[in-house]
Amino acid sequence: MNKLMITAVVMMASLGAHAASTFSSFDKNDDGFISKSEAAVSTELSSDFDKLDSNGDGKLSKQEFRL
């Protein structure tokens, strides 16, 4: 049981690190947000942008990107 829990924690940490590195790859101007123009390089992100932009400010924060 303990090995399973440890494995799950390690996997979640890896996913979080991957999300952060992916976020950085989209945030070209390093302002901490992904704009629609920065998201345009990905068809999938562009199509989901408005759904992910939960506060409707026209940009994705790290928190919105992880949803």
Side-chain angles (χ1 to χ4, degrees):
M1 179 72 168
N2 285 338
K3 281 186 176 181
L4 180 60
M5 290 178 67
I6 292 170
T7 302
V9 169
V10 169
M11 287 178 62
M12 290 177 73
S14 295
L15 290 173
H18 178 71
S21 67
T22 303
F23 183 91
S24 298
S25 70
F26 285 112
D27 182 20
K28 295 298 184 189
N29 64 358
D30 294 320
D31 66 351
F33 297 96
I34 299 172
S35 66
K36 281 191 175 191
S37 62
E38 289 170 324
V41 298
S42 166
T43 304
E44 184 177 0
L45 184 56
S46 292
S47 66
D48 292 340
F49 191 93
D50 291 328
K51 288 185 276 186
L52 293 171
D53 183 16
S54 60
N55 65 1
D57 65 355
K59 55 189 177 182
L60 299 179
S61 66
K62 287 182 181 181
Q63 182 179 8
E64 290 171 320
F65 183 74
R66 292 182 196 177
L67 296 178

